[in-house]
Each structure stands twice: as structure tokens, then as C-alpha cells.
Amino acid sequence: MDALLDFARGPFFRFSFAIMALGLLRVIVLDLLGAYDAYRKAGEKDLPWGLIISRSLQWFIPINRVFKYRPIFSSISILFHVGLLLVPVFLFAHVHLWKQAIGFGWFTLSKEWADWLTILTIASGIALFIGRVFTRSSSFLSRFQDYLWPLLLLVPFISGYVCANLTISPKLYQLLMLTHVLSAELIFILMPFTKIAHCVLMPLSQFVSNLAWKFPADTDDAICTTLNKKGAPV
Amino acid sequence: MNNRVRITKLILWSIVGFAGAVGITRFLFGLGATTNLTDATPWGIWIGFDVMAGVALAAGGFVITAIFYIFKREEFHSFVRPAVLTAFLGYLAVVFGLLFDLGLPWNIWHMMIYWNPHSPLFEVGWCVMLYTTVLLLEFSPVPLEETSRYARIRRILMKFRFPLVLLGIMLSTLHQSSLGSLFLIMPFKLHPLWYSHILPLLFFISAVALGLMMIAYESLVSHWLFRRKPETNLVEKLAKAAVWVLSIYFIVKMADIWLSGEWHLMFDGSWESYLFILEMLISTVIPIILFSIKKVRTSTAGQWVGSSMVVFGMIFNRINVGGLTMLRATGDTYVPSWMEITISLGVVSAACLAFLFAIERFHIWKEKPQDPEWEPYTPPVFDHTSEVWLGTPPLAARTKYTLVLLLSFALGFALIPSHKIESKGVEIVPVQKARGGDTLFIDGNHDEYGVLFAHTQHIDSLGQKQSCDKCHHMNMPMDKATGCWECHRYMYSPTDAFNHDWHADAHGGNIACTQCHPKGKERQAETAKKCDDCHLDLLPSDNPIKVENYTAPPYVTAMHELCVSCHKKKAEELSDKKNLALCTTCHQSAPPKYLKAEISKHLSGPYFNHVVIPGVNLKQEKEQLHKNE
């Protein structure tokens, strides 16, 4: 068990963290390159930059926008995201590990804040999952993985909370700690390749979708070629 | 479909990714975590291969420009662009690879401002910098011809082409040979078979031969890669020229060895002798024989074998001179770590990728090779495993290459040995009390290399008993002159002079928390009482050193700051003791007699901290010190 934990904390952590950091960078770069290609080919070059920026900012601070349509869902979602981002990055124990590894740390949450935010994240995560299952419009849009990833996100939070706060047997502690580390690393690896990549792609979404509606001059023929219906009337 | 290019690119991208992870580790955790270099072998494969061999491999640039522009051999026109491009990328790779090896890479610009005209490295550095610029200017008309927007800049550059070519050849001549001059400083370190007074000349001649063969080799490789018809006739002419240059190199080298009477070393059976014979065979003798036979010279297979022998043989030569043959003199064993090899391969791979990019993008050859991703046109593919549209072929290629890069980077990062990068910080070396009586032997870590300190003499000259405070600036309770070691407890790391746990412990101070931490306030160092609130005799009244907090600096720092600052002042005040602040004033003394038996083994050789400064009469000073003792 110790060897497994050492592996999960050492080489496997470096592997998964590298996949996450470089992988997220990769999707941003690929997106921007694709956007640049699209912009170069587009027949009409005018983009509503003001609208794109204001909409991106509005989505970034979702209070104004989503509250109108689904107030309960959106407020729970905001709470979920706050805990999800703050706790792993600013937890004292995590920062301490960083400090040991790379020599410097940063601002940390107090124990009380971290505990309450963790509970909040777990509770709001479960609430969101239930909402997804029982709201018809949501479940209609969901694939299997859309149920799985939110639940997976909760595993390190639950195991971490138990390890940090409850008095448990050393064996169970090690098992839960291993679960905590491995599940978090699984999430790291999945991040660039799943919907979780929206954590870095969000700012680009408005820009890309606006750009997508600017077609190059001879797009219709290319679409037909792609669909193997060359020469068909558009 | 040209799978050769595709597979080559995949392999190159994966090497770059792997090396990227190691490169980041090198800059985050330093040379110690990534290399097997030691103080005795500070130049390893990064210097031998990346710099020494890298510069030599890029010699094709100046050789081909000389052939084409100076000797007017028009038939070699098709070689000029690829060779100049290779040289440019080669030099970029050298500079980039050097950054990994430099201890303080951010100071690489220092040579531009802080001139040391006596150093061959200074000349090499300047030449490489200038020649890289020249190569950039020589090459930039090629990408600039792609658009008409930069036609004017291109026209100006073309006008200066001839002076640029001349400047390039001149600079190359300078630094190709100066890389050899670097080693003139180590006649006793480098093995005599490689050491020679004419090393600069040998380096230059071999660079010309290697340049010729590099042009041939690169033509062979790129034509194989893109499935083009090989330029056999031109390569044959290069091979013919190489026979002459290699022969000159061989004769000069052998004559040099003969004249310096080192002939017997070639056959004395040491591993260096085998190394030398092997090197000469691969780099010179066999290629000369091969290329002298017309049938071999004109066949593609013969050209492959001969040119690759010269290329790898000369790389071997540069590695031998760059450090491998010094191991006997230093007594060190150095085998490059896999991380060093990875970085070297990664830099080369990145240069190759840049070369392929340029070949496909610009008119390096008469006709651009078709991008393998575009032949023939295929519609976007739906990938059933990932359930995504991979997009157009170039887009899919982008996805694939970056994915390979990502995976190999993560793998490389995971494979870095944990114990190398999980450092516990500076090693704690506890300090022990200075030994002696009237004269103390200050040797904090008891490694027997220390400084003699004439304590009584200092008391006498500084003003008897009243002078204690001048050095003993903080004392333990009930003490008048506490030893340095009691607070400065570690050699190289600071100590908390206030011992909190001792004060709180029942076996120590045994005082309640509230005696120092006021009630109702958070218990922090900032809000607690100061030490001298209770210990009234802690700080002597008129001591020159002000204690601001109770973090005691490392022992070594404390000693130097206290002694040197006072010595500097006295050296100015007293006209007869000008040398008081020199290192040798303290760091030269032999240990006292009662320690001599203990450390007799060190008495025969020079002392570790025996600093020699020109113009200072060491002997006289030493006698003076012994008299004091």
C-alpha cells in the first residue's frame, strides 16, 4: 500500500499533472489555430467583437444571465464551481505539498472555510446530479459520461474530507487517501479530453461560435463534397 | 501517401515532448537533478555533442557558400538553400542547447557587455552570435519571397548577399578553429593523442571536411525522406573534394603526432589508443579509401556509407576532445545520464522538425515537396474510437502530432527519478565549538580546514576586557562572552536563536504561555514579548551589531560579516596593514600544533582554502602568524 501511495504521489502525479497542464494548453492552442484558419478563410471578416467580449464576460459572471431562466439550478451550479476551484488550489495541505516540491506556496484557506466549502461542493454536486436525472430537458441532452464525470469529481472531495476530519483506522485512512489521490489524478488526465476542458475553453466559446457562422465563399460545394453528395443542389 | 515523412514527424515530435519534460526539470531543479556532471567533469555530452559537434555539423553553410559564391561552381546551386538553412538551424540548436548546460543561463548576454578579450570562449561566443545573425540574413530572402509585401526588404538583403557571404566565411573560420583553441589551456588534462598546439588548425580542416559531407548526407536523407531522385552526380563531386580535405587532415594530424614524439601512444594498448584508432578509421581512413574508388563514390549506397562515417566519426572526435579523453587525467567516471542524452536528442529533433517545416513551406528546393497530408485530397474522417470528426488532413495531423507530444511529455515527466527532485533543501551541518586557548582554531564543521584566530591578540589590540562587546554582541543569560556557535548553530543555514520549545518545555525554561503571550491576543511571534524584556543582560550596551530579530545567520556568513567588515575598516585606518582584508590573511594558516597529529595527512598537500593572490608576500605573512601562535 505504501509503495502504491508513493507511486500515486510521485511519478503518476507528475504524469497526470503534465497531461492536464499541457493538455489544456494544447486544446487552447488548437482552438485558436483552428479559429485563425477559419477567420482567414471566412468570406466576411467583420466580427462583432464588442458583443463577443460582453457576452463572454456575462457568461463568466453567470449571475445576471442564467438567473432569469433557472434560478435554483444556476445558484447551485455557481456554489459547486466556487468550491470545486477554491478548495483544491488553496487548501493548506495542498499548498504545503507544493511548497515542499517547488519551494514556494501561496495564500491558503483556513480550515473552517475549507471544510465548509468542501461540504458545500459535495452537497451541490449531488443536487446537480439529481437535477440532471429528473429534469426532462437536462436528461434529454445528457450522455452517459455527462452523469459520470460530475460524480467522479465528487470522489476526491468526499475521500479528502473523511481523511481530514474523521478518526478512522490507519488502514482505511491509507485506502481513502489512495482513492483521493488516484481519483484526482484520473480527473487530471480526463480534463483535456472531456467536457471538463470548458474550464479553459469557456472564454473562447462566444468567439468560436460567432466565427463559426462566417462561411468562406465556396462553402456549399465543400459541404457537399464532405457529405459525399458532390453536385447536389444546396 | 508519404508515410516516411509522417512517421518521422511522429517520432521527432515524441522525442521533443520527452525532452521538454526533462528540460523543464533541468530548469526547475538544476543540473544536479538531471545530469551526471561533477566538479571534475563539468563538460559532458551537452558540450561535446551539442556545442562542439553541433557547430562542426553546421559547417556545411560556410563551405557551400564558399564553393558557390567564391569558387563560382554554379552546379551546386541546388545545395545552397538547404545547406544555409541547416547551418542556421544548427547554430540555433547550439545556442539553445547551450542554455541547458550553462549554470546561470540568464547571464548568457554577459559576454556582449563584459568583455574578456583574452578568452577563446569570448571569441567563440561573439562569432557564434554574429554568424547566427549573418545566417538569418542570408536565409531570410527565402521565406520573404513568399509574399510580395516584403519585396523591398528582400531586395536590400539580396544586394548585401555577397558581403554577408564573405562575413559568414570569415566568422566561421574564426570560431571553428577557436573551439579548438579552447582546449589549448588543458595540456595536462586532454590526452596527448588529441592535445596538440595546432588543435585550432585541426578543428578547422576537419570542419571543412565535415561541412562537405554534411551537405551530402543531408541531401541523401531528405531525398530519401521525400522519395525524390537522389542528386548522385553532385554528391559524387563533394565526395571527391572530401577525399582531398580528409587526406590533408590525416597527414597534418599524423605529422603532428610524429613530431611531438607521441607515436608510441597510438599502440600502447590503453583504451584511449583504441579510441583514437577507431576514431581515425571511421572519420578519416575508411572514407578516404571508399571515396577514392569511383564505383563506390558514384553509387548511392556508397555515398550513404561514406558520408555517414565522416559525420559520425567527426561527432565522435568532438566528443573525445570535449571531455571523454580527459577522464584519465581527472580520475573521474562520467557516463551521461539518460536525461542528458534526451535533451541532446530533443534539441536535434526540434531542429529537424523546423527543417521539415521550412522544406514544406518555402522554396528550399526548386519545387516544393507536396505536404504529405494533402496527397491525394481526402475528405474529413470520422474517427469511430473517439466519436469525433478529425477534420481535414492537416487538421488531423495537427491533432495527432500534438497528442504524441503531450503523451511523451507526460511520460518523460513521470520517469524522472523521484529522489533527484524531492530535495529536503540545504543539508543541515551543525557547528561545533572552536578549539584552542589563546589562539582558537575556527573550524565549525570540524572538517579540519579552518582559520586560526589569535583571540588574545585581538583582545590586546582592541582594548582589553572592555572590548568583548565588539564581537560578542549577544550573550546567554548570566554570561558575558557567549561563543559564536551557541546561536549560529548551523554552518550554512540560519538558526532561530530563540529556542521556543526549550522555553515552553518542563525540562527547560518551564514557563507558562501567558508569560510571553498576552492574554486575549492570538499567540504569534509578533504579539509576544521581546527577549530582552526579560533577559536584561542579553544585549551588551554598546555593541556595534544591532540584533533586529532572533534569526541568527549561518555560521559561515556570521564569521565573514563580523571579521571582514572590521578588517576592512582597520585596513583603511592602519597604514602598515594594507592586506588585512584579503582572504589570505585568515585563510592560510596551518592548524595549531596540538591538532597537527590529528590532521597530519593534510599537511603535505596544499590546503583546501589556501588562497593565492598575486602581489602578496605569503611567506612573510605566514611567518608572522606562526610567531603570534
Side-chain angles (χ1 to χ4, degrees), chain B residues 134-154:
Chain B
V134 167
L135 281 170
L136 175 69
L137 295 176
E138 270 181 36
F139 179 68
S140 46
V142 178
L144 288 181
E145 75 188 6
E146 294 296 310
T147 54
S148 54
R149 205 187 299 170
Y150 305 111
R152 247 185 82 195
I153 304 175
R154 189 169 181 276

CSV table of all heavy atoms in Angstrom, one decimal, chain B residues 134-154:
chain,number,residue,atom,x,y,z
B,134,VAL,N,24.2,36.5,-39.3
B,134,VAL,CA,24.5,36.5,-40.7
B,134,VAL,C,23.7,35.4,-41.4
B,134,VAL,O,23.1,35.7,-42.5
B,134,VAL,CB,26.0,36.3,-40.9
B,134,VAL,CG1,26.3,36.0,-42.3
B,134,VAL,CG2,26.8,37.5,-40.5
B,135,LEU,N,23.6,34.3,-40.8
B,135,LEU,CA,22.9,33.2,-41.4
B,135,LEU,C,21.4,33.5,-41.5
B,135,LEU,O,20.8,33.2,-42.5
B,135,LEU,CB,23.0,31.9,-40.6
B,135,LEU,CG,24.3,31.1,-40.8
B,135,LEU,CD1,24.5,30.0,-39.8
B,135,LEU,CD2,24.4,30.5,-42.2
B,136,LEU,N,20.9,34.2,-40.5
B,136,LEU,CA,19.5,34.6,-40.6
B,136,LEU,C,19.3,35.6,-41.8
B,136,LEU,O,18.3,35.4,-42.5
B,136,LEU,CB,19.1,35.3,-39.3
B,136,LEU,CG,17.7,35.9,-39.2
B,136,LEU,CD1,16.6,34.9,-39.2
B,136,LEU,CD2,17.5,36.9,-38.0
B,137,LEU,N,20.2,36.5,-41.9
B,137,LEU,CA,20.1,37.5,-43.0
B,137,LEU,C,20.3,36.8,-44.4
B,137,LEU,O,19.7,37.1,-45.4
B,137,LEU,CB,21.1,38.6,-42.9
B,137,LEU,CG,20.9,39.5,-41.6
B,137,LEU,CD1,22.0,40.5,-41.5
B,137,LEU,CD2,19.5,40.2,-41.7
B,138,GLU,N,21.2,35.8,-44.4
B,138,GLU,CA,21.4,35.0,-45.6
B,138,GLU,C,20.2,34.2,-46.0
B,138,GLU,O,19.9,34.1,-47.2
B,138,GLU,CB,22.6,34.1,-45.5
B,138,GLU,CG,24.0,34.6,-45.8
B,138,GLU,CD,25.1,33.6,-45.6
B,138,GLU,OE1,24.9,32.4,-45.9
B,138,GLU,OE2,26.2,34.0,-45.2
B,139,PHE,N,19.5,33.7,-45.0
B,139,PHE,CA,18.4,32.8,-45.3
B,139,PHE,C,17.1,33.5,-45.5
B,139,PHE,O,16.2,33.1,-46.2
B,139,PHE,CB,18.2,31.7,-44.2
B,139,PHE,CG,17.1,30.8,-44.4
B,139,PHE,CD1,17.2,29.9,-45.4
B,139,PHE,CD2,16.0,30.9,-43.6
B,139,PHE,CE1,16.1,29.0,-45.7
B,139,PHE,CE2,14.9,30.0,-43.9
B,139,PHE,CZ,15.0,29.1,-44.9
B,140,SER,N,16.9,34.7,-44.8
B,140,SER,CA,15.6,35.3,-44.8
B,140,SER,C,15.0,35.7,-46.2
B,140,SER,O,13.8,35.7,-46.3
B,140,SER,CB,15.6,36.5,-43.8
B,140,SER,OG,16.7,37.3,-44.1
B,141,PRO,N,15.8,35.9,-47.2
B,141,PRO,CA,15.2,36.1,-48.5
B,141,PRO,C,14.3,35.0,-48.9
B,141,PRO,O,13.3,35.2,-49.7
B,141,PRO,CB,16.4,36.3,-49.5
B,141,PRO,CG,17.5,36.8,-48.7
B,141,PRO,CD,17.3,36.2,-47.3
B,142,VAL,N,14.6,33.8,-48.5
B,142,VAL,CA,13.8,32.6,-48.9
B,142,VAL,C,12.3,32.7,-48.4
B,142,VAL,O,11.4,32.7,-49.2
B,142,VAL,CB,14.5,31.3,-48.5
B,142,VAL,CG1,13.6,30.1,-48.9
B,142,VAL,CG2,15.8,31.2,-49.1
B,143,PRO,N,12.1,32.8,-47.1
B,143,PRO,CA,10.7,33.0,-46.6
B,143,PRO,C,10.1,34.3,-47.1
B,143,PRO,O,8.9,34.4,-47.3
B,143,PRO,CB,10.8,32.9,-45.1
B,143,PRO,CG,12.2,33.1,-44.7
B,143,PRO,CD,13.0,32.7,-45.9
B,144,LEU,N,10.9,35.3,-47.3
B,144,LEU,CA,10.4,36.6,-47.7
B,144,LEU,C,9.8,36.6,-49.1
B,144,LEU,O,9.0,37.4,-49.5
B,144,LEU,CB,11.4,37.7,-47.6
B,144,LEU,CG,11.8,38.1,-46.2
B,144,LEU,CD1,12.8,39.2,-46.2
B,144,LEU,CD2,10.6,38.6,-45.4
B,145,GLU,N,10.3,35.7,-50.0
B,145,GLU,CA,9.8,35.6,-51.3
B,145,GLU,C,8.4,35.1,-51.4
B,145,GLU,O,7.8,35.1,-52.5
B,145,GLU,CB,10.8,34.9,-52.2
B,145,GLU,CG,10.7,33.4,-52.0
B,145,GLU,CD,11.8,32.6,-52.8
B,145,GLU,OE1,12.7,33.3,-53.4
B,145,GLU,OE2,11.8,31.4,-52.8
B,146,GLU,N,7.9,34.6,-50.3
B,146,GLU,CA,6.5,34.0,-50.4
B,146,GLU,C,5.5,35.1,-50.6
B,146,GLU,O,4.5,34.8,-51.2
B,146,GLU,CB,6.2,33.3,-49.0
B,146,GLU,CG,7.1,32.0,-48.8
B,146,GLU,CD,6.8,30.9,-49.8
B,146,GLU,OE1,5.7,30.6,-50.1
B,146,GLU,OE2,7.8,30.4,-50.4
B,147,THR,N,5.7,36.3,-50.0
B,147,THR,CA,4.7,37.3,-50.2
B,147,THR,C,5.4,38.5,-50.9
B,147,THR,O,6.6,38.8,-50.6
B,147,THR,CB,4.1,37.8,-48.9
B,147,THR,OG1,5.1,38.1,-48.0
B,147,THR,CG2,3.2,36.7,-48.3
B,148,SER,N,4.6,39.3,-51.7
B,148,SER,CA,5.2,40.4,-52.3
B,148,SER,C,5.3,41.6,-51.4
B,148,SER,O,6.0,42.6,-51.6
B,148,SER,CB,4.3,40.8,-53.5
B,148,SER,OG,3.0,41.0,-53.1
B,149,ARG,N,4.7,41.5,-50.2
B,149,ARG,CA,4.7,42.6,-49.2
B,149,ARG,C,6.1,43.0,-48.8
B,149,ARG,O,6.3,44.2,-48.5
B,149,ARG,CB,3.8,42.2,-48.0
B,149,ARG,CG,3.2,43.4,-47.3
B,149,ARG,CD,2.6,42.9,-46.0
B,149,ARG,NE,1.5,42.0,-46.2
B,149,ARG,CZ,0.9,41.3,-45.2
B,149,ARG,NH1,1.3,41.5,-44.0
B,149,ARG,NH2,0.0,40.5,-45.4
B,150,TYR,N,7.0,42.0,-48.7
B,150,TYR,CA,8.3,42.3,-48.2
B,150,TYR,C,9.4,42.4,-49.3
B,150,TYR,O,10.5,42.2,-49.1
B,150,TYR,CB,8.7,41.2,-47.2
B,150,TYR,CG,7.7,41.1,-46.0
B,150,TYR,CD1,7.0,39.9,-45.9
B,150,TYR,CD2,7.6,42.1,-45.1
B,150,TYR,CE1,6.1,39.8,-44.9
B,150,TYR,CE2,6.6,42.0,-44.1
B,150,TYR,CZ,5.9,40.8,-44.0
B,150,TYR,OH,5.0,40.7,-43.0
B,151,ALA,N,8.9,42.6,-50.5
B,151,ALA,CA,9.8,42.6,-51.6
B,151,ALA,C,11.0,43.6,-51.5
B,151,ALA,O,12.1,43.3,-51.9
B,151,ALA,CB,9.0,42.9,-52.9
B,152,ARG,N,10.7,44.7,-50.9
B,152,ARG,CA,11.7,45.7,-50.7
B,152,ARG,C,12.8,45.3,-49.8
B,152,ARG,O,14.0,45.4,-50.1
B,152,ARG,CB,11.1,47.0,-50.2
B,152,ARG,CG,11.2,48.1,-51.3
B,152,ARG,CD,10.7,49.5,-50.7
B,152,ARG,NE,11.7,50.2,-50.0
B,152,ARG,CZ,11.5,51.2,-49.2
B,152,ARG,NH1,10.2,51.6,-49.0
B,152,ARG,NH2,12.4,51.8,-48.5
B,153,ILE,N,12.4,44.7,-48.7
B,153,ILE,CA,13.4,44.2,-47.7
B,153,ILE,C,14.2,43.1,-48.4
B,153,ILE,O,15.5,43.1,-48.2
B,153,ILE,CB,12.7,43.6,-46.5
B,153,ILE,CG1,11.8,44.7,-45.8
B,153,ILE,CG2,13.7,43.1,-45.4
B,153,ILE,CD1,11.0,44.2,-44.7
B,154,ARG,N,13.6,42.3,-49.1
B,154,ARG,CA,14.2,41.2,-49.8
B,154,ARG,C,15.3,41.7,-50.8
B,154,ARG,O,16.4,41.2,-50.8
B,154,ARG,CB,13.2,40.3,-50.5
B,154,ARG,CG,13.8,39.1,-51.0
B,154,ARG,CD,12.8,38.1,-51.5
B,154,ARG,NE,13.4,36.9,-52.0
B,154,ARG,CZ,14.0,36.8,-53.2
B,154,ARG,NH1,13.8,37.8,-54.1
B,154,ARG,NH2,14.6,35.7,-53.5
